[in-house]
Amino acid sequence: MPELHQLTATQLLEGYRAHTFSPSEVATALVEHIGKWEPHINALYAYQPDVFIQAAEASTQRWINGEPRGALDGVPITLKELIATKGMPVPRGTGLGTQAAAEDAPPAARLAEDNALLLAKTTCPDFGMLSSGLSSFHGLTRNPWNLACNTGGSSSGAGAAAAAGFGPLHVGTDIGGSVRLPAAWCGVVGFKPTLGRVPIDPYYVGRCAGPMTRSVEDAALMMITLARTDRRDAMRLPPEDIDWMNLALDIKGLRVGVMMEAGCGLPLDNEIHRHVEQAAKQLEAAGATLVPMAPVLTRAMLDGMDHFWQARQWSELLKLSAKEREQVLPAILAWADGGARLSGVDVVQGFQQTMDMRRATEAVFDTVDAVISPTTPNIAFPAEWPSPINDPRQPFEHIAYTVPWNMGEQPAISLNAGFSKDNMPIGVQLIGPRFADHFVLKLARQLEARLELPIRWPAPPCDKAVIA
């Protein structure tokens, strides 16, 4: 039997019901396991093991009494630090958000209602605006598969925590790939739902919260909780009765678009190309028809969105004093100050490119039922870099496979397709039409089963391996 920290959420709940082990035993084992890993990877913020163990003891008593409350009672979870929890500051990767949050954000509130055990918050880079584990406040979060490599981001701590086995369930946020990119680079499942499926606050164009887990089944389990409605999100979808745990799907007859080229940005690594191609062939073997597809993204779209986001970030930086701005990562400042030189027309035209992305992505599903593509163009990059090309003036060259589906609002999931010759994970992405979240999870589960990857996770390094 796997160790307690290796069990999925569904396995934990089965064990609680059978009284094979208790939430207290799981919590104690998890704290011990984290002690072996956390000094090396720096994935957690506001980690309070004593509070976590006390909550586990209360859950244990509920299970002993036969009175568990909520679908996730006793299951450990983490939340990205950008997701507010009552009474805790939201530093936004910079340490500048020192005021304690007045209430739980919707994902935190839903998980608390179901008595999931909050283990900790997880790290993110400054303002969530880098796909990197680099943060001026949290320090450097490293990839458990190779401490010299980056996690990606901005859900960097969540990706590292999931890969290292810091409990089974983690929540990240995603506005351009921030769930799926670290999921790919850390070898876990990352699901970005349709915009509004999981209520979030603050809400914004393309911004979603979604599960980061070690299995598709656990991502589906989280959706039971996360997808409940919350009026604080004015962009939320109407409540819908979905049997999230029904992951059966007959692939025969599906038309699956194969989008191997991104249209712009970094060139695709040959190993990734091979693994994604093999994943597509697994769907074909199950009865799907593969349809070669041209990319949806153009250089004009990516550059226009870059201009819009520069201006948006510059507007945030202007709220800070000169002394406060000095605390922000130089890579963020070097990129965002371009926003000061953009005209209002430039910014509006940039935003219009996000609408063009929406039009292009929606048109895809006139001819196919789903799309398969790489998640990232590259396999790994140094832990200390703010992005895969280490150029603050070009921070988005690696998000060309992910960002169109944020702007188009379609559900998209990344799962592990295998490993490179250097034993680093390689992600494959599946995308479906807007509102077809359950279908995407079903398709991902079928692909996960057909890939038949052996269960394999990184082991904690010895103390001597700590990188200063």
Side-chain angles (χ1 to χ4, degrees):
M1 179 178 176
E3 295 183 56
L4 291 178
H5 71 268
Q6 296 175 319
L7 298 178
T8 67
T10 48
Q11 289 171 329
L12 288 180
L13 291 169
E14 289 169 3
Y16 297 162
R17 281 190 287 268
H19 300 287
T20 306
F21 46 78
S22 69
S24 292
E25 290 172 297
V26 170
T28 300
L30 196 51
V31 167
E32 181 181 353
H33 177 70
I34 290 169
K36 298 175 184 177
W37 257 124
E38 180 60 5
H40 303 270
I41 61 173
N42 186 39
L44 302 182
Y45 160 64
Y47 174 46
Q48 298 174 299
D50 292 344
V51 174
F52 172 62
I53 287 175
Q54 288 173 6
E57 290 170 351
S59 176
T60 295
Q61 195 58 53
R62 290 193 293 272
W63 281 101
I64 288 173
N65 296 338
E67 299 173 347
R69 294 200 296 270
L72 298 174
D73 198 342
V75 178
I77 57 126
T78 72
L79 292 165
K80 186 176 181 177
E81 66 104 315
L82 294 179
I83 299 171
T85 47
K86 185 177 180 179
M88 192 174 294
V90 183
R92 298 194 298 167
T94 65
L96 297 172
T98 57
Q99 185 174 352
E103 60 183 359
D104 285 343
R110 300 294 82 75
L111 289 161
E113 288 167 1
D114 277 353
N115 277 293
L117 302 182
L118 180 60
L119 168 69
K121 307 296 282 293
T122 51
T123 60
C124 74
D126 293 29
F127 304 106
M129 284 306 297
L130 294 177
S131 189
S132 172
L134 191 62
S135 163
S136 61
F137 177 70
H138 299 296
L140 184 57
T141 300
R142 295 180 180 273
N143 194 315
W145 290 101
N146 183 335
L147 298 181
C149 291
N150 211 296
T151 56
S154 62
S155 303
S156 48
F166 288 12
L169 304 181
H170 310 269
V171 184
T173 62
D174 189 318
I175 200 170
S178 289
V179 160
R180 290 156 291 156
L181 294 168
W185 282 314
C186 293
V188 300
V189 173
F191 180 48
K192 181 204 81 69
T194 301
L195 184 73
R197 178 71 70 192
V198 173
I200 192 169
D201 183 32
Y203 51 87
Y204 200 74
V205 175
R207 186 171 189 250
C208 301
M212 299 179 71
T213 63
R214 285 183 163 193
S215 71
V216 175
E217 185 179 44
D218 271 4
L221 177 67
M222 287 195 87
M223 290 300 292
I224 298 172
T225 298
L226 293 175
R228 292 202 297 269
T229 195
D230 192 306
R231 285 191 175 275
R232 288 175 290 173
D233 185 349
M235 301 172 80
R236 71 194 182 282
L237 297 182
E240 189 174 349
D241 186 14
I242 297 173
D243 182 7
W244 291 104
M245 296 306 289
N246 175 10
L247 296 175
L249 178 67
D250 185 358
I251 295 175
K252 188 174 181 180
L254 291 180
R255 291 175 58 82
V256 178
V258 182
M259 192 175 290
M260 299 302 294
E261 297 298 326
C264 55
L266 286 174
L268 182 62
D269 182 275
N270 288 334
E271 285 192 89
I272 297 177
H273 189 288
R274 186 170 66 253
H275 277 79
V276 174
E277 202 170 54
Q278 290 170 350
K281 287 179 180 177
Q282 290 293 335
L283 297 179
E284 185 178 40
T289 299
L290 300 184
V291 181
M293 297 207 71
V296 291
L297 196 67
T298 66
R299 185 79 251 173
M301 290 175 183
L302 190 61
D303 289 347
M305 187 197 66
D306 186 1
H307 289 164
F308 171 65
W309 280 359
Q310 278 184 41
R312 178 175 178 260
Q313 189 59 55
W314 185 244
S315 72
E316 290 296 311
L317 292 172
L318 287 177
K319 298 175 185 177
L320 305 177
S321 67
K323 186 175 181 180
E324 287 174 326
R325 278 198 293 274
E326 290 176 1
Q327 298 180 44
V328 178
L329 282 174
I332 294 287
L333 297 173
W335 164 69
D337 69 1
R341 296 184 290 275
L342 294 169
S343 70
V345 171
D346 292 332
V347 177
V348 170
Q349 289 176 341
F351 181 76
Q352 185 57 45
Q353 291 295 334
T354 70
M355 296 294 102
D356 289 348
M357 283 189 224
R358 184 186 184 106
R359 185 185 303 276
T361 54
E362 191 66 12
V364 163
F365 298 99
D366 286 337
T367 57
V368 298
D369 301 297
V371 174
I372 186 169
S373 81
T375 308
T376 67
N378 63 305
I379 292 173
F381 63 104
E384 296 80 7
W385 286 11
S387 73
I389 62 171
N390 198 28
D391 181 353
R393 295 292 183 185
Q394 291 184 293
F396 301 135
E397 298 304 294
H398 58 288
I399 68 172
Y401 287 106
T402 53
V403 71
W405 315 109
N406 289 81
M407 300 304 107
E409 303 184 8
Q410 293 86 5
I413 191 167
S414 179
L415 61 154
N416 193 30
F419 293 86
S420 73
K421 63 180 185 299
D422 295 323
N423 293 313
M424 293 301 289
I426 291 174
V428 59
Q429 181 177 221
L430 296 170
I431 308 105
R434 289 175 71 213
F435 317 124
D437 305 71
H438 193 202
F439 164 71
V440 169
L441 285 167
K442 288 180 175 183
L443 185 60
R445 176 65 191 104
Q446 301 310 307
L447 179 57
E448 181 183 57
R450 288 186 167 274
L451 288 171
E452 294 184 318
L453 297 179
I455 296 175
R456 174 184 175 192
W457 296 106
C462 63
D463 291 343
K464 292 180 182 178
V466 175
I467 296 178

